[in-house]
Amino acid sequence: MINITQPGDFPLTETWSYMDAANVALMPMIAAREITEWQTDVALNGGINFNDHVEAKAFDGLRLQGARLFNCNQDDIAGGSSCTELLSSIAWAVMPQKHENVVSTDIVFPSTIYPFTRVSHHTGCEIRLARGHNGYASFTGIVKNIDKNTAVVSISHAEYTGGQLHDLAALAEAAHAHGALLIVDATQSAGAIPIDAPASGADVIIAGSYKWLCGPFGAAVMYLAPRLQSKLEPGFVGFRSHKEMWNLSPDRLEYPDTAKRFESSTMAFGCIKGLEKSIEYLADIGIQRIYEHNIALADRLIEGLGGLDIEVVSPVNSSERTSIVTCRVTGFDPVEIVKNLQERNIVVHKRQEFIRFSPHLYNDETDVDRAITELRSILRR
Ligand SMILES: Cc1ncc(COP(=O)(O)O)c(C=O)c1O
């Protein structure tokens, strides 16, 4: 296997086997430096360099890189502080009403549905969660819940527990057939799985920065389909929401006719610069190349775990898989296993009763082989 990163990009990988991108990924040093330099400049110079003109353009670089990431136009991209924040603004913008429903799954990460749960406390809309098992929810189970009263299907593109990848085009078709929107949380996929937003048919795609996008905490990127850009009134607004943000008149609020209307306030702009750099870094390598690299590591992990008689609960050998490999080690405490591995410089994560491996572009087969060897010795003790 060829290394797809350069020595020094991720210093920890010289001594550790870090396979935990589904929790917090490592950040390329080029992105970490960008954040520090921005923050240092503001500390030293206040608003001299980061002046009104620069502040108005703070998201422009992210728009460029986000468009590469999602194969869309720059006008379709907005930035924000977190996946949850952008999703909440969308949830209030859509605001499903009492007779309507929102469909998701009962294995989804809570933040993908909670913004709609909050809206349901206000409007009385129904939240419908398709039943899942072992971190897996079937397509037919989800689609059965969609009917003429469905306003939104809100789904995590890749499920956080077992890495199941949903077919966005098929879900968009099912949602649109009933006049519903497909809203996608791509926090567990963007950066590791190629996403063609316009071709997917999804109406909204939002990804937090610090997992597979290898960016910092405090930043997120959103795709908003063109047909919604002059329709949705954002749930969260502030002075940046007005189409000419430095025309500071409080007596009117007119939004830009682009995704930018969802950018409402002053934020940790250095984090946006960091996310911009990390997406640029990944896009320069190529998301398809990263995907193939990661899947090859997942294959090797699955084979190794099979050799130890460990049950893998993630989808294997299908279009529903990602490089998240989740397993159940019967008869052992997952907390102890994760702790023992960490003592040997191997980082994986416990989620529910499972152990979750999530290798990314900075890992190679040595990491996988070390993890399997050490796991074997831990299980023998
Ligand atoms: C699918 C998914 N969405 C969202 C989040 C977290 O969102 P936020 O960074 O807004 O808290 C996670 C975190 O694990 C996640 O797995």
Side-chain angles (χ1 to χ4, degrees), residues 92-109:
W92 286 107
V94 177
M95 215 192 301
Q97 296 297 304
K98 190 166 178 55
H99 65 284
E100 295 182 311
N101 64 70
V102 179
V103 172
S104 190
T105 73
D106 70 358
I107 53 133
V108 79
F109 191 76

Side-chain angles (χ1 to χ4, degrees), residues 22-23 81-85 87 108-112 156-161 185-188 206 208-211 217-220 351 356:
N23 177 37
S81 297
S82 74
C83 171
T84 305
E85 179 210 66
L87 193 55
V108 79
F109 191 76
S111 304
T112 313
S156 181
H157 187 199
E159 297 291 355
Y160 76 107
T161 302
D185 177 346
T187 301
Q188 292 290 4
I206 304 172
S209 156
Y210 57 88
K211 297 185 193 281
F217 294 123
R351 274 289 171 256
R356 182 183 68 188

Side-chain angles (χ1 to χ4, degrees), residues 215-356:
F217 294 123
V221 59
M222 175 169 82
Y223 161 84
L224 180 63
R227 70 186 178 88
L228 296 173
Q229 288 168 16
S230 49
K231 282 206 188 116
L232 290 185
E233 178 161 19
F236 300 162
V237 297
F239 87 100
R240 275 195 90 97
S241 308
H242 184 66
K243 60 184 177 191
E244 290 166 51
M245 64 179 254
W246 288 122
N247 188 345
L248 297 167
S249 183
D251 60 359
R252 49 86 192 101
L253 169 53
E254 290 162 26
Y255 306 105
D257 285 330
T258 63
K260 191 178 181 174
R261 60 171 50 201
F262 279 84
E263 292 159 4
S264 57
S265 67
T266 308
M267 60 167 286
F269 293 114
C271 297
I272 287 292
K273 305 291 294 171
L275 175 57
E276 177 191 322
K277 267 287 165 214
S278 66
I279 297 177
E280 183 181 16
Y281 176 89
L282 299 176
D284 284 353
I285 292 172
I287 307 292
Q288 179 65 31
R289 197 164 162 222
I290 294 171
Y291 171 76
E292 286 163 18
H293 171 91
N294 292 358
I295 288 291
L297 294 177
D299 279 340
R300 202 174 176 100
L301 261 171
I302 291 165
E303 198 185 320
L305 292 168
L308 298 179
D309 255 343
I310 291 174
E311 179 198 357
V312 173
V313 298
S314 299
V316 292
N317 298 323
S318 80
S319 58
E320 289 183 309
R321 57 188 299 235
T322 59
S323 70
I324 295 178
V325 176
T326 299
C327 61
R328 179 190 278 115
V329 188
T330 310
F332 289 83
D333 178 358
V335 176
E336 277 304 305
I337 293 184
V338 169
K339 187 167 152 273
N340 279 308
L341 286 172
Q342 190 145 336
E343 283 162 6
R344 296 158 158 86
N345 287 15
I346 297 166
V347 183
V348 299
H349 218 84
K350 172 195 173 288
R351 274 289 171 256
Q352 288 90 30
E353 72 268 38
F354 308 115
I355 295 170
R356 182 183 68 188

Side-chain angles (χ1 to χ4, degrees), residues 137-183:
S138 76
F139 174 73
T140 44
I142 297 168
V143 169
K144 260 200 300 208
N145 284 277
I146 305 174
D147 63 20
K148 64 179 183 6
N149 293 326
T150 304
V152 169
V153 177
S154 183
I155 214 84
S156 181
H157 187 199
E159 297 291 355
Y160 76 107
T161 302
Q164 177 196 2
L165 191 69
H166 293 285
D167 180 342
L168 296 187
L171 281 174
E173 201 182 320
H176 294 165
H178 290 89
L181 298 178
L182 176 65
I183 295 178

